[in-house]
Amino acid sequence: MDDSSNLQTLRRGLTALQYMNEVGTANLAQVARHLKVPRSNAHRIIQTLVGEGYLERLPSSRLYKLTALVKQLSAGFDDDDLLTKAAQPAIERLAEELVWPIAMATPYGANMLVRVSTDYRSPVALVRTHSGYVTPMLQATTGLLFLALSNEETRNQVVGVIEKQNQFAPFFESHSEFQKVLRQARKDRYIIQDTRFAEGSLGVPLLWEKRILGGLVVRYIRKAVTRKQAIAELLPKLLKLSEEVIDAFDTLMKAKNNEHHS
């Protein structure tokens, strides 16, 4: 398939999502009629959106509807820009104090998208990431936090996509091990990963109005920082940073809402 065909397919997929958002539920014939394409084309588009987790078929019905994954993306679209604006200066200030790289990431489908990263200024970052870097949710400390602290509908939807994409095996030996990590994260309100790689990572969530927007993570070299040291020395700084980011984000959101009402 050439680039023009890919672009046309993408446009039709986005149009289908827009249509589903307007009507709530629709069947194959309705989608085909709206897109002005044969039923076979509409079927491929719908099945792709189902496979990626953006549509689901209602039980015992021919109707499809948008999933929590789409709602998550649409709800956070404008917020992510404001969150990045709120986080950047606070993260840069802490980066001046810490030698270790710091990043902020937000959910992006079944992945995490790095919005802010100080890897470029850290001389001890073993693996350098950058703003715009995308990583599987199960691989990211912030991704596991997002799954642990999301509402049940969103969590189940994202996990369903992860299962369809066969993403569990590289990161977890079993679902019970995965669920154990999530339970511990809900209890602790942070995640530390320091068993598989030379770098350890410590992450905390960004929570606003009972919703997890994303997370902050600091990475460190395990030979230089023990798990106990990371929790004792780095965790308080990261928690304070999360408070600063959320306070700044809240201020921006209030200003935005005031503009809309004025």
Side-chain angles (χ1 to χ4, degrees):
M1 184 178 292
D2 58 27
D3 289 344
S4 61
S5 297
N6 283 329
L7 183 58
Q8 181 68 10
T9 300
L10 175 60
R11 285 173 175 164
R12 286 173 175 167
L14 292 173
T15 301
L17 289 178
Q18 291 170 348
Y19 173 65
M20 296 298 296
N21 187 53
E22 292 171 1
V23 300
T25 61
N27 59 31
L28 174 62
Q30 290 171 316
V31 173
R33 193 158 50 244
H34 181 77
L35 296 180
K36 298 179 181 179
V37 298
R39 288 170 63 100
S40 59
N41 289 26
H43 181 264
R44 284 195 296 271
I45 291 169
I46 287 175
Q47 290 309 306
T48 297
L49 293 172
V50 169
E52 293 299 320
Y54 297 118
L55 288 182
E56 63 183 358
R57 187 169 178 173
L58 297 178
S60 304
S61 171
R62 295 184 178 181
L63 296 174
Y64 295 86
K65 73 178 185 69
L66 297 178
T67 69
L69 196 58
V70 171
K71 296 173 185 176
Q72 164 210 316
L73 291 173
S74 60
F77 184 78
D78 291 333
D79 295 355
D80 284 343
D81 288 338
L82 289 183
L83 185 62
T84 301
K85 184 177 180 179
Q88 185 83 49
I91 289 175
E92 293 290 346
R93 284 196 297 271
L94 183 57
E96 291 180 2
E97 175 186 344
L98 292 182
V99 68
W100 307 114
I102 308 166
M104 183 192 79
T106 59
Y108 185 71
N111 304 297
M112 295 300 288
L113 173 63
V114 175
R115 298 280 178 174
V116 181
S117 172
T118 67
D119 285 25
Y120 69 95
R121 63 185 295 174
S122 174
V124 293
L126 298 184
V127 179
R128 297 189 182 278
T129 59
H130 53 81
S131 298
Y133 182 80
V134 176
T135 187
M137 197 167 279
L138 295 189
Q139 186 176 18
T141 304
T142 52
L144 293 172
L145 278 169
F146 175 78
L147 290 172
L149 299 176
S150 289
N151 63 59
E152 185 176 4
E153 181 184 9
T154 298
R155 179 169 57 253
N156 289 342
Q157 187 63 50
V158 176
V159 169
V161 174
I162 291 171
E163 288 177 331
K164 288 178 182 178
Q165 297 177 351
N166 297 316
Q167 290 188 27
F168 271 102
F171 308 112
F172 291 95
E173 294 182 359
S174 65
H175 279 267
S176 60
E177 179 192 2
F178 169 67
Q179 292 298 335
K180 181 180 178 180
V181 170
L182 297 194
R183 285 194 300 271
Q184 191 65 45
R186 282 192 285 272
K187 177 184 176 182
D188 295 338
R189 292 314 223 216
Y190 71 84
I191 284 182
I192 185 167
Q193 297 194 93
D194 63 350
T195 58
R196 299 183 64 182
F197 305 105
E199 277 190 330
S201 64
L202 175 67
V204 300
L206 289 167
L207 297 165
W208 181 73
E209 295 189 350
K210 299 181 180 180
R211 179 160 65 96
I212 179 165
L213 304 178
L216 297 166
V217 63
V218 59
R219 303 195 322 276
Y220 55 90
I221 298 174
R222 290 170 54 204
K223 288 184 177 180
V225 179
T226 67
R227 183 184 186 92
K228 185 175 180 180
Q229 287 174 323
I231 294 173
E233 299 171 12
L234 299 179
L235 181 58
K237 296 180 185 296
L238 211 55
L239 290 172
K240 182 180 179 182
L241 175 61
S242 70
E243 292 177 3
E244 293 176 3
V245 171
I246 289 301
D247 285 346
F249 174 75
D250 189 64
T251 298
L252 291 174
M253 287 295 290
K254 287 177 179 177
K256 174 186 173 183
N257 291 334
N258 288 338
E259 288 179 3
H260 287 170
H261 292 132
S262 62

